[in-house]
Amino acid sequence: VQLQASGGGLAQAGGSLTLSCAASGRIFSINAMGWYRQAPGKQRELVAGTSKSGSTNYADSVKGRFTISRDNAKNTVYLQMNSLKPEDTAVYYCNADAVVFTAGLTSYNLWGQGTQVTVSS
């Protein structure tokens, strides 16, 4: 079971990027999903999260600019990032609480590989 993130890149301040993260493998269900980021020299921080029912929460620094969404049928979470700022520059990681088919069912907290977002001023 793994998370595969994509969509990072270079954007100008005020621009937009969309990140995607798809879970694959023997997945029974996925509960909470979210995006974190880590800038150089800083701790990893929660950017946005979403529950299986679709409720969302955001870091104060991204409220009104970023939107998290998910497609449960595709086991995929998205992060639409608008009005990007240079301080949004970081490696972005997706995270998911997944229940996986093993001998029975096992819960895992999964991390994607990280995708670089760079915002130039």
Side-chain angles (χ1 to χ4, degrees):
V1 179
Q2 64 177 357
L3 296 180
Q4 182 67 44
S6 61
L10 178 64
Q12 291 188 333
S16 298
L17 286 172
T18 302
L19 306 182
S20 300
C21 178
S24 61
R26 302 187 69 201
I27 297 168
F28 174 74
S29 68
I30 298 180
N31 299 314
M33 302 185 81
W35 289 95
Y36 290 72
R37 67 186 180 186
Q38 188 167 19
K42 295 187 177 181
Q43 290 189 332
R44 190 173 297 188
E45 63 175 357
L46 175 67
V47 176
T50 178
S51 69
K52 188 173 184 178
S53 64
S55 62
T56 58
N57 61 286
Y58 296 91
D60 287 343
S61 59
V62 307
K63 283 180 180 177
R65 301 188 298 121
F66 290 10
T67 303
I68 189 170
S69 61
R70 62 190 288 171
D71 184 332
N72 290 330
K74 296 181 179 180
N75 291 328
T76 299
V77 63
Y78 306 93
L79 187 68
Q80 175 66 44
M81 304 184 292
N82 298 327
S83 302
L84 284 163
K85 303 176 181 180
E87 51 264 43
D88 295 319
T89 296
V91 178
Y92 283 70
Y93 298 90
C94 55
N95 177 268
D97 288 327
V99 179
V100 177
F101 289 105
T102 55
L105 294 175
T106 304
S107 296
Y108 290 95
N109 185 257
L110 304 173
W111 288 94
Q113 82 281 12
T115 184
Q116 177 71 45
V117 171
T118 302
V119 183
S120 62
S121 58

